[in-house]
Amino acid sequence: MKLVIAAGPPASGKTSILFKTIKYLKGFNAKIAVAKLDCLTSDDERVYEALNIPVITGLSENLCPDHFLAINIIEIFNWAKKSGADYLIVETAGLCNRCAPFIDRALNICLIDCLSSIKVPKKLGPIVTTSDIILISKVDMVSQAEREVFVYNLIQLNPTAQILEVNGLSGFGSQRVGNIILNSPSYDSIDGDILRHSMPSATCSYCVGEIRIGGMYQQGIINKMDFSKGSDFSYV
Amino acid sequence: MFKNLLIIGGQDKNENRELIGELYLEKGKIYTIVGPTGSGKTQLIEDIECLSDGFGLTKRKILIDDGISPQHLRSSYQNRLVSHLSQNMHFILDMSVINFLKMRLKCTNFPDDIKSVEKILEYANELSGEKILGHFSLTTLSGGQSRALMIADVAINGTTPIILIDEIENAGIDRLRAMKILVDSDKIVLVVTHDPLLALYGHKRIVMKNGGISKIINRNPYELSLLKQLHSINKVTETIRDDLRRGKQLEKECFYGL
């Protein structure tokens, strides 16, 4: 089975472009299953169901969605295999951009909305640096000149990724994305595979539900801000 | 980069053979793509952009200099073929025009000399009704000014052999001059539009229907004369627009030629 992991900030257009890509892949009789991972709620299952394919939704709730993916990916892989799929596409919401949900052997696609972070894709961190394919969405909204600057910055961060421009509304780019997926490698199992980027040690008291603020409630790994480095200006 | 681009017809949405078997696209020519929504205009552009090898949805083949192109041309951004200009596009960076152009030239590996920044501005000002100055903020440019700057930038800095234009608004920009600048930059210009003035600029019109190319229309002498008439009407509209902008009362004596 081929494994595709698609990640990107909320509302960047992941579902739209994946929907169009799956439609294209279905023209090649590809049997596709989709797992949608989100934090609190997701209606996208219904969107994908319209394509007559197996769909499952996982909500990470209290957990960071990247951790949630790492914890569940083998089970998701086995679910898709059991449903008879040849292709598994995992769509997952990026949260704080500290991590990336990418797995070494998967085809890892990162989608960025070029309206949001055109000057500093650096803010997105490992989601950009460890991906195989970078899709730039909403390209019909931004000038060619700015997009070229944007791509230049992306190439500095990840020189090996393939960069494509897409438009989820018109479906522009979905054919090229589809062709890359068609040509990606296939695996029987992903047991023993590794994450491309480590996830942070989320082990402070707030990770486990603490709501009171103040030093006496803080346990575990506490990373305190350094206030010696602020600007020199002060009112006193 | 290449001499010509050849489209070899595939099939339409009902899997019937496309009516046009072959179409050569040449540099320095304007092609207008027309057809209702859903007729396959976007798909045609996508086929061209990914140099379709006959296995896509439409089974079209796009050949460069009569041969199938190598895979690397098909996939990487650096080798992409098409620059886009669309009516919906905006500048979104909070920077001055001059600083942005400097940054842009640095990123696209052109020498960062003030001369080419000035050249882009000069071209843009030829097109724009209202003058663009270097210290203006990108985001506060008017629609016409933005479009003029985008067109000048694509014509001068564009590294792609094809330019795709998805409508150009008719306000505040000299469209005839814009098309001339683009064609003079030795590129294939594709225009998706139903705007009469813009559509008739095309040397050929590619008519889309149900996902396939159904007809190629060569612009005939009558259409060319029509284009000239439309252009003079457009000039009148522009003059009226300018007078309105300047706060003038329009009088019979102004003689707008109508």
Side-chain angles (χ1 to χ4, degrees), chain B residues 36-54:
Chain B
T37 308
S39 58
K41 299 189 292 277
T42 305
Q43 184 62 45
L44 175 65
I45 308 290
E46 167 132 24
D47 282 344
I48 294 172
E49 184 136 34
C50 68
L51 291 170
S52 205
D53 55 5

Side-chain angles (χ1 to χ4, degrees), chain B residues 79-119:
Chain B
N79 292 311
R80 76 201 185 289
L81 292 174
V82 185
S83 296
H84 295 254
L85 275 171
S86 134
Q87 182 163 242
N88 298 328
M89 279 179 187
H90 299 281
F91 283 113
I92 56 170
L93 285 177
D94 188 12
M95 286 177 96
S96 73
V97 171
I98 200 115
N99 284 340
F100 172 70
L101 289 176
K102 279 183 191 165
M103 179 173 88
R104 190 254 194 278
L105 289 173
K106 215 160 76 193
C107 293
T108 35
N109 299 323
F110 289 101
D112 181 19
D113 62 334
I114 195 78
K115 231 172 107 191
S116 33
V117 170
E118 273 168 359
K119 195 174 160 205

Side-chain angles (χ1 to χ4, degrees), chain B residues 199-247:
Chain B
L200 288 175
Y201 284 145
H203 301 98
K204 286 181 184 205
R205 299 204 291 284
I206 303 173
V207 184
M208 302 302 298
K209 195 178 165 192
N210 196 33
I213 302 176
S214 71
K215 222 192 296 182
I216 305 292
I217 299 175
N218 288 305
R219 186 178 60 193
N220 66 19
Y222 172 67
E223 286 169 342
L224 193 61
S225 69
L226 208 54
L227 172 64
K228 283 178 184 150
Q229 283 178 43
L230 282 173
H231 195 248
S232 3
I233 296 172
N234 188 54
K235 272 196 174 147
V236 175
T237 328
E238 282 296 298
T239 317
I240 297 176
R241 193 194 315 276
D242 273 350
D243 286 351
L244 289 172
R245 184 187 289 140
R246 292 200 194 99

Side-chain angles (χ1 to χ4, degrees), chain A residues 95-108:
Chain A
L95 196 62
C96 62
N97 303 323
R98 157 63 183 76
C99 312
F102 296 146
I103 287 174
D104 200 33
R105 283 187 296 187
L107 178 70
N108 297 301

Side-chain angles (χ1 to χ4, degrees), chain A residues 68-201:
Chain A
F68 186 73
L69 177 129
I71 292 164
N72 288 290
I73 187 66
I74 294 206
E75 285 81 355
I76 296 173
F77 191 88
N78 293 337
W79 161 82
K81 249 170 84 172
K82 238 171 115 184
S83 71
D86 306 319
Y87 295 79
L88 166 61
I89 299 179
V90 183
E91 184 201 329
T92 171
L95 196 62
C96 62
N97 303 323
R98 157 63 183 76
C99 312
F102 296 146
I103 287 174
D104 200 33
R105 283 187 296 187
L107 178 70
N108 297 301
I109 300 179
C110 134
L111 189 126
I112 317 171
D113 164 0
C114 68
L115 278 170
S116 62
S117 49
I118 198 153
K119 214 167 159 190
V120 257
K122 264 184 204 155
K123 279 186 183 163
L124 294 167
I127 211 169
V128 166
T129 56
T130 63
S131 60
D132 302 306
I133 315 284
I134 301 172
L135 303 182
I136 306 172
S137 70
K138 305 186 188 174
V139 290
D140 54 325
M141 315 278 286
V142 177
S143 71
Q144 178 83 30
E146 284 165 306
R147 277 181 284 139
E148 285 180 21
V149 172
F150 185 47
V151 168
Y152 173 83
N153 289 334
L154 285 173
I155 293 171
Q156 307 304 305
L157 290 173
N158 186 343
T160 58
Q162 207 170 321
I163 301 173
L164 295 175
E165 295 182 328
V166 298
N167 178 347
L169 296 181
S170 71
F172 180 80
S174 57
Q175 183 167 332
R176 271 168 298 164
V177 179
N179 289 340
I180 295 168
I181 294 176
L182 284 171
N183 293 320
S184 66
S186 197
Y187 303 103
D188 255 354
S189 144
I190 51 164
D191 284 346
D193 207 346
I194 55 166
L195 295 169
R196 290 233 175 135
H197 193 269
S198 68
M199 294 185 183
S201 41

